[in-house]
Amino acid sequence: MAFQPSASLLMPDAKKTNPDAGLFSELPESKRPKRVDESRSADDEQLFDWSSWQSKLPPLKKHSVAKLDVLRSYIEDYITILCTGNPGQDRFRLTLVDGFAGGGIYEGDSFGSPFVLLQAVKVAEARVNQTRTKPLTIECNYYFVEADEAAANCLDYQLRQRGYAHEIGKSITLIRGKFETAYERIIADVQQRHSRGGSRVIFFLDQCGYSDAPPPLLRAISEKLNLKAEFIVNLAIDWLTTYLRDEKTFRKIYPSLGVDAVLPIEKVLAAAKNEAFDPQYVVESLIGPAFQQVSGSPFFSPFYIQAPKSNRGYWLVHLAPARRARSAMLDVHWRVGNGCRHFGHTGLDMLSFKSDANPSGYLTGLEFGESIRSSVKDKLTHDLSREIRDKHSAGISYREFQDAYCNRTMANDEIVRQVLIRLMQEGEIDVSGKQGGAKRVDSIVPDDIIKPGTGRVLLVVPRSPKKRK
Ligand SMILES: C[S@@+](CC[C@H](N)C(=O)[O-])C[C@H]1O[C@@H](n2cnc3c(N)ncnc32)[C@H](O)[C@@H]1O
């Protein structure tokens, strides 16, 4: 039985429509909530409209470019990380599912997500092979799901025109239909291809609204894939924040978010009334963790993608089965820099409200970049030191520490490592090997044990590089 999202009935037709249509049409104009982004113009209505693709393609807006940059960089990094360091390996198998694929091409020959995925895999394969003696082949199966007939026709045509005709029906499966039903066939294919489990599947779910890929559906998919599935889910934040300002409407649409079992609506509405918070903070800090909890994924990041100088953006929730994947997504956020934004603060428990934190974090968001990176390091130096002193007097391995704390900060693994090294050198923490031995001063490995410090390290002697034999 296909998964039925509970409240799709409440959704206006997500596709290509003004988000205010439908739900607000019964309200007089004066009572309709003000849009967060007043700049929404008539040409926004043409976004993702491939109905006349043979004569006119839709435009690709700045914020969509930023979203696709994140997707491209993440896939390239993901493959590079997983394929580095195993010289004997000769193939790497992966499944990429683009659940809301669109028509593939925008005005000016700009590529949409299906082509971004195809190209990212090729780039990563070439990158990985640059340093290998034994070549590695990436065997990737792609599923492109598209519900709209015109968009699917455009995608099919563009794939054939651009050299992928021979792969359609082989490594590329184009599914005409809704993701909510198509996913079952995809899972069956994956299970058949990987009969002993061990499949790596990444779903890119770039829906038009926010209710076509709800977290109970993600959990159902994940459970059928041995809890190894990974999801990059895009939610139309403009809609959510608009609805948050209109209680009556928000009460109607709330069940469609799929988080009401763990997050009472009253809590969200109360936060939405707080003038110290932008609705994006409310969404990130409350709906984000609830989304993760319901999905059952152990690692997540809830940041926004916003093109520089644009108010428009996406809420890109990343749900991953492994910390390494979460950190790789954070690497991308830091690299893309001011295209990515976090509503909250820079310390530990980045989503909680702290009266002493920079208030702009709750109102306008913090852009990933050099000054925020240095604030993250400073705040974490203080917060992690206190945390280790208060909670880990018996010691915790570096691996467990990273697993336990990564979801609670804007930091990637590397920033946390640098903070811990700073703390070791300041004597705030002691780090030694699993079996004890000398304290470390300038490095840390996964099995190392971290404890509160017993004294300041006065002299930091860098290790001498190992002599080559
Ligand atoms: C935001 S656009 C996708 C853009 C595309 N990912 C890209 O980056 O170029 C969403 C697409 O999903 C399609 N769509 C809407 N509801 C869908 C559903 N339930 N299942 C699959 N596709 C759907 C729309 O027709 C539209 O083409």
Side-chain angles (χ1 to χ4, degrees), residues 15-16 48 50 67-68 98-103 106 112-114 145-148 151 177-180 204 206-208 212:
K15 192 163 175 341
K16 311 161 203 160
F48 313 121
W50 280 275
K67 169 186 72 181
L68 292 172
D98 191 344
F100 300 79
Y106 294 87
S113 51
V145 185
E146 174 52 54
D148 179 70
K178 293 194 170 197
F179 175 71
E180 307 88 292
F204 178 54
D206 188 16
Q207 58 197 318
C208 292
D212 287 336

Side-chain angles (χ1 to χ4, degrees), residues 354-404:
K354 288 189 176 170
S355 52
D356 60 341
N358 172 2
S360 65
Y362 304 102
L363 280 169
T364 53
L366 306 171
E367 288 183 351
F368 284 69
E370 268 322 301
S371 78
I372 294 299
R373 181 193 286 264
S374 103
S375 170
V376 170
K377 281 189 184 170
D378 290 345
K379 293 273 189 252
L380 283 186
T381 301
H382 176 268
D383 292 352
L384 294 184
S385 161
R386 194 200 49 225
E387 196 73 12
I388 293 166
R389 210 173 45 236
D390 294 351
K391 303 208 175 121
H392 300 295
S393 54
I396 179 169
S397 76
Y398 175 44
R399 180 185 290 106
E400 285 167 340
F401 187 84
Q402 289 270 38
D403 283 351

Side-chain angles (χ1 to χ4, degrees), residues 79-334:
I79 294 172
T80 309
I81 291 168
L82 289 174
C83 295
T84 301
N86 192 350
Q89 190 182 4
D90 59 7
R91 68 176 182 160
F92 177 79
R93 298 169 81 194
L94 175 70
T95 301
L96 294 177
V97 181
D98 191 344
F100 300 79
I105 298 291
Y106 294 87
E107 213 173 71
D109 244 11
S110 301
F111 291 117
S113 51
F115 286 98
V116 166
L117 294 174
L118 288 160
Q119 291 164 352
V121 170
K122 279 292 151 224
V123 167
E125 187 177 53
R127 199 198 271 172
V128 166
N129 279 317
Q130 268 172 2
T131 52
R132 296 176 68 94
T133 326
K134 183 173 187 175
L136 180 112
T137 307
I138 313 279
E139 286 179 11
C140 187
N141 284 87
Y142 303 87
Y143 290 86
F144 300 141
V145 185
E146 174 52 54
D148 179 70
E149 199 187 334
N153 287 342
C154 180
L155 178 57
D156 188 326
Y157 175 84
Q158 300 293 350
L159 286 167
R160 290 177 195 279
Q161 281 296 101
R162 289 163 201 264
Y164 294 97
H166 62 290
E167 289 299 332
I168 297 179
K170 292 182 185 153
S171 69
I172 298 178
T173 306
L174 182 57
I175 302 181
R176 293 163 183 269
K178 293 194 170 197
F179 175 71
E180 307 88 292
T181 42
Y183 81 91
E184 292 204 321
R185 169 181 167 192
I186 299 171
I187 288 176
D189 280 6
V190 172
Q191 285 169 337
Q192 198 184 23
R193 269 201 309 278
H194 300 265
S195 52
R196 285 181 291 159
S199 52
R200 291 181 194 281
V201 190
I202 302 180
F203 291 83
F204 178 54
L205 302 177
D206 188 16
Q207 58 197 318
C208 292
Y210 46 79
S211 67
D212 287 336
L217 170 61
L218 308 188
R219 180 186 278 265
I221 293 175
S222 198
E223 283 171 356
K224 290 191 176 153
L225 292 172
N226 305 318
L227 304 178
K228 288 208 176 122
E230 180 168 336
F231 305 94
I232 302 170
V233 189
N234 180 34
L235 293 99
I237 192 60
D238 238 17
W239 292 33
L240 269 181
T241 51
T242 302
Y243 294 160
L244 250 182
R245 293 189 163 141
D246 175 65
E247 183 173 332
K248 189 173 158 218
T249 309
F250 192 69
R251 284 188 186 280
K252 275 199 210 168
I253 65 137
Y254 190 63
S256 64
L257 285 173
V259 296
D260 47 344
V262 300
L263 178 64
I265 186 170
E266 303 307 335
K267 203 169 164 188
V268 186
L269 287 170
K273 288 189 182 120
N274 189 331
E275 300 208 335
F277 303 157
D278 184 273
Q280 293 194 61
Y281 170 67
V282 177
V283 168
E284 186 181 331
S285 67
L286 293 177
I287 298 176
F291 202 95
Q292 181 211 1
Q293 193 184 338
V294 177
S295 76
S297 285
F299 298 99
F300 99 120
S301 67
F303 304 117
Y304 295 92
I305 305 299
Q306 237 156 1
K309 301 198 184 96
S310 159
N311 291 328
R312 305 292 308 282
Y314 295 107
W315 187 35
L316 212 63
V317 178
H318 179 222
L319 298 155
R323 190 190 75 234
R324 203 150 55 145
R326 195 258 182 196
S327 183
M329 181 57 92
L330 263 288
D331 293 348
V332 173
H333 283 298
W334 284 109

